[in-house]
Amino acid sequence: MKEWIDLRSDTVTKPTAAMRKVIFEAEVGDDVFGEDPMVNALQEKVARLLGKEKAIFVPSGTMGNQLAIKSHTQPGDEVILEASSHPYNFEGGASAALSGVQFNCLKGVRGVIDASQVEEAIRPEDHHFAVSRLICLENTHNRGGGTIFPIAKIAEISKLAKSRGLLVHLDGARLWNASVASGIKPHEYAQYADSVSVCLSKGLGAPVGSLVTGSADFIDRVHRFRKMFGGGMRQAGLLAAAGIYALDHHMERLREDHDHAKHLAHGLTVLKGVELNPDHVETNIVIFDVTKTGKTAPQVAEATKKQGVLIHPFGKTQVRLVTHLDVSSEEIEKALEVFRRVLG
Ligand code: TLP
């Protein structure tokens, strides 16, 4: 019996018995020398899945994004991205500290921006201005509520970027969720970006690890900076083996998480004071506003915790729930009962 029903994030999953077995049995080598067979296999597999020349294994999604930003830009450059995006909000100011870039933040609709907004944000070639160099998109969009970035919009932004000499990085920490939910293959999304980062440690349930993908030249630069940032790992095959297992066995089941999130959303939306549109729940994230319940988000989180359900307050008024492979249908029902008691 688990102590908690943990809906704070899909990062909390623990390796299954079958995954632990492949970790135990993994053949390893020194990956800084490029000699770890599991890491090499994982990199080839993910490059293939995303239709890119190369992929490189990195410790976290944050490092993946930061390596991409570092490898695409020069200090003083400007990066265009949506205002609630992960690199701007949740990466500790790393892009300013490590790459010396500034952000131009655009207001999106649940994380989605369009080409006309980007076009307006691109700086003219005038020495008063920063050089607009990179556009970062996020699919699915975390703070937007697990929103799938429509592929037509990505294509338009990509076309604009090409025509104006800008690069595109796609933060695909949850690209797998977008792909399973939309039926659009990861490589179809990835074709519109110069680089894509993906995570194994979220919905796929691996303990650690992300990859950055792109052209061979680009990945060579990422490799240099990975060393510089301290992200070169040695017998990382233990982690890569878990990643390969996760890609092979935990992809299709993401649908269950999406169904659970929808079910939670429908159950929550009828509770008095809960502001949530279940149609906006497209993948495994549910974000709702509790202002009208008379409670703050941290108070709601405290109250559900006392009844065994962990949730993540996003600021004062919003709550985030994330479904994942360590939460069963039964536990979703139990969590809903707790929400009914706390908010009903
Ligand atoms: N996001 C975490 C928190 O940092 C908010 C979470 O619990 O969702 N890109 C996106 C879109 C992400 O959601 C995350 C993790 C990352 C990058 C960073 O990945 P890690 O945690 O591996 O550095």
Side-chain angles (χ1 to χ4, degrees):
M1 187 57 195
K2 271 187 258 164
E3 198 183 348
W4 306 104
I5 298 173
D6 195 342
L7 296 168
R8 286 172 304 168
S9 182
D10 48 9
T11 58
V12 301
T13 54
K14 297 188 180 146
T16 61
M19 187 181 278
R20 284 171 196 262
K21 187 164 182 294
V22 301
I23 295 172
F24 183 76
E25 289 170 355
E27 216 186 294
V28 295
D30 190 328
D31 180 50
V32 170
F33 295 140
E35 289 171 3
D36 189 296
M38 298 312 285
V39 171
N40 290 339
L42 173 67
Q43 290 176 165
E44 278 162 32
K45 187 178 178 73
V46 170
R48 223 174 19 251
L49 273 172
L50 294 177
K52 298 291 184 202
E53 270 181 329
K54 293 266 182 203
I56 183 168
F57 191 46
V58 299
S60 68
T62 299
M63 193 182 281
N65 282 337
Q66 292 307 322
L67 284 169
I69 290 169
K70 179 81 181 165
S71 305
H72 282 314
T73 61
Q74 293 298 318
D77 283 351
E78 191 161 272
V79 177
I80 298 170
L81 78 191
E82 200 274 335
S84 61
S85 66
H86 202 275
Y88 180 51
N89 292 281
F90 304 117
E91 297 186 9
S95 304
L98 304 175
S99 298
V101 294
Q102 63 183 30
F103 284 142
N104 188 343
C105 295
L106 309 181
K107 183 140 182 48
V109 179
R110 288 182 291 115
V112 176
I113 51 175
D114 49 42
S116 61
Q117 286 175 281
V118 176
E119 185 157 31
E120 241 177 82
I122 298 173
R123 309 269 181 191
E125 278 192 34
D126 174 318
H127 289 185
H128 288 85
F129 301 126
V131 174
S132 304
R133 180 83 63 196
L134 177 67
I135 302 162
C136 289
L137 305 176
E138 189 173 314
N139 192 19
T140 65
H141 201 290
N142 177 355
R143 195 69 182 82
T147 327
I148 300 171
F149 211 117
I151 193 160
K153 283 190 189 284
I154 300 179
E156 272 176 44
I157 291 172
S158 167
K159 193 171 161 205
L160 168 72
K162 269 211 179 74
S163 74
R164 302 290 297 271
L166 274 77
L167 299 162
V168 177
H169 171 67
L170 177 61
D171 175 353
R174 295 186 181 83
L175 188 66
W176 319 117
N177 296 82
S179 172
V180 165
S182 66
I184 297 167
K185 298 275 178 235
H187 70 86
E188 295 178 76
Y189 283 117
Q191 67 181 313
Y192 297 114
D194 298 281
S195 59
V196 183
S197 52
V198 289
C199 291
L200 305 167
S201 58
K202 307 213 159 45
L204 291 185
V208 178
S210 293
L211 292 104
V212 186
T213 66
S215 69
D217 274 0
F218 167 77
I219 295 300
D220 190 56
R221 287 202 299 284
V222 172
H223 186 263
R224 163 172 278 282
F225 290 125
R226 184 184 71 171
K227 191 77 195 120
M228 190 191 274
F229 287 5
M233 297 181 284
R234 302 294 177 172
Q235 285 71 36
L238 298 177
L239 303 173
I244 292 172
Y245 181 89
L247 286 164
D248 289 342
H249 296 90
H250 293 165
M251 186 78 79
E252 281 306 311
R253 64 150 308 286
L254 292 174
R255 282 179 217 291
E256 266 176 59
D257 300 342
H258 301 168
D259 291 344
H260 287 161
K262 265 267 187 244
H263 187 64
L264 275 174
H266 283 290
L268 285 162
T269 192
V270 296
L271 301 180
K272 202 159 166 252
V274 167
E275 280 189 87
L276 164 67
N277 182 345
D279 292 342
H280 290 170
V281 176
E282 299 178 88
T283 55
N284 69 330
I285 298 180
V286 182
I287 295 181
F288 58 97
D289 194 289
V290 294
T291 312
K292 290 190 181 153
T293 66
K295 294 187 173 78
T296 65
Q299 284 169 340
V300 173
E302 200 47 46
T304 61
K305 185 175 177 182
K306 285 195 181 125
Q307 303 201 31
V309 177
L310 300 180
I311 61 176
H312 188 59
F314 254 161
K316 254 193 147 165
T317 63
Q318 287 190 318
V319 168
R320 184 185 76 161
L321 316 178
V322 188
T323 57
H324 52 77
L325 87 168
D326 283 355
V327 184
S328 66
S329 305
E330 229 179 37
E331 288 169 322
I332 293 289
E333 293 306 336
K334 278 196 193 142
L336 268 176
E337 278 166 34
V338 169
F339 287 119
R340 283 185 201 113
R341 284 202 291 276
V342 168
L343 299 167

